[in-house]
């Protein structure tokens, strides 16, 4: 089930991020929003994005390893698109590591196009800037 994050999800999300990436709960600001995929009592996917007036940015998307390739990320992004279109957001952008081929394929499948290389965007690696228009 795709739904908005609730504060009661904190422990489940934190555990998933720790298990999958060894990272802590993300830093957020007033533009941040979160969607999750809940299965039974557990969170198996999370999408963190920011909305700044007419544009949005994906901060990250993560699906638990054993639940991948079951359209969970697709459902999270499609739910985000629905919300953004209702809010009159015009474009969504993101940066992805040059080495992260699964994520690049995924984003292309979701209608994103590569528009630029961000040199050394990550510590020792270039980032690819990808953009998708929502309103023509
Ligand atoms: C990228 C990620 C979010 C995709 O989640 P998912 O729920 O497995 O994705 P979906 O099932 O909705 O979509 C599957 C699509 O993703 C792409 N994809 C997923 N795994 C892939 C792989 N190992 N190799 C190539 N493409 C892959 C393909 O386009 C695939 O579509 P297809 O089966 O028709 O070829 C997931 O692999 C993940 O959590 N990765 C680690 C975190 C990450 O890299 N996040 C993105 C950067 S912030």
């Amino acid at each position: 089930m795709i739904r908005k994050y609730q504060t009661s999800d904190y422990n489940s999300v934190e555990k998933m991020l720790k298990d999958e990436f060894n990272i802590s709960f993300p830093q957020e600001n007033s533009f941040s929003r979160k969607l999750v995929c809940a299965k039974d009592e557990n969170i198996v996917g999370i999408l963190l994005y920011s909305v700044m007036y007419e544009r949005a940015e994906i901060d990250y998307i993560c699906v638990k390893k054993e639940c991948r390739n079951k359209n969970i990320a697709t459902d999270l992004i499609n739910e985000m698109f629905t919300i953004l279109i209702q809010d009159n957001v015009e474009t969504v952008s993101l940066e992805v590591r040059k080495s992260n081929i699964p994520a690049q394929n995924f984003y292309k499948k979701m209608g994103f196009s590569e528009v630029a290389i961000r040199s050394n965007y990550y510590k020792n690696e270039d980032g690819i800037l990808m953009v998708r228009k929502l309103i023509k």
Side-chain angles (χ1 to χ4, degrees):
M1 182 179 91
I2 306 293
R3 58 165 172 78
K4 285 183 179 158
Y5 169 88
Q6 301 161 356
T7 46
S8 56
D9 296 325
Y10 183 90
N11 287 343
S12 185
V13 171
E14 195 187 35
K15 181 173 172 3
M16 183 181 73
L17 295 176
K18 198 95 206 144
D19 291 349
E20 301 289 317
F21 292 116
N22 201 23
I23 57 170
S24 324
F25 206 87
Q27 297 279 341
E28 293 180 65
N29 56 47
S30 55
F31 299 111
S32 302
R33 300 188 193 179
K34 295 185 283 308
L35 289 172
V36 294
C37 176
K39 219 173 182 186
D40 306 320
E41 298 298 296
N42 297 314
I43 302 301
V44 295
I46 181 163
L47 168 61
L48 179 73
Y49 64 103
S50 310
V51 181
M52 292 139 299
Y53 308 96
E54 79 290 352
R55 65 187 190 90
E57 276 179 19
I58 294 178
D59 299 308
Y60 69 72
I61 185 165
C62 168
V63 173
K64 229 173 151 52
K65 279 200 186 89
E66 67 256 32
C67 299
R68 288 185 190 164
N69 286 303
K70 291 178 178 163
N71 284 326
I72 290 175
T74 301
D75 292 347
L76 283 164
I77 294 278
N78 280 334
E79 180 64 18
M80 178 192 73
F81 285 158
T82 302
I83 294 167
L84 294 179
I85 288 166
Q86 280 167 4
D87 290 350
N88 295 314
V89 173
E90 294 171 11
T91 57
V92 189
S93 65
L94 61 95
E95 278 87 13
V96 58
R97 284 179 185 274
K98 217 173 166 183
S99 60
N100 194 347
I101 303 298
Q104 287 165 40
N105 282 349
F106 168 72
Y107 288 129
K108 280 181 197 158
K109 191 180 162 192
M110 299 309 296
F112 288 84
S113 308
E114 293 182 18
V115 294
I117 301 288
R118 301 263 206 231
S119 195
N120 282 316
Y121 183 82
Y122 302 97
K123 249 187 184 165
N124 292 312
E125 188 174 356
D126 293 349
I128 299 174
L129 172 65
M130 301 184 84
V131 174
R132 187 194 195 275
K133 279 202 170 120
L134 294 176
I135 296 171
K136 294 200 173 135

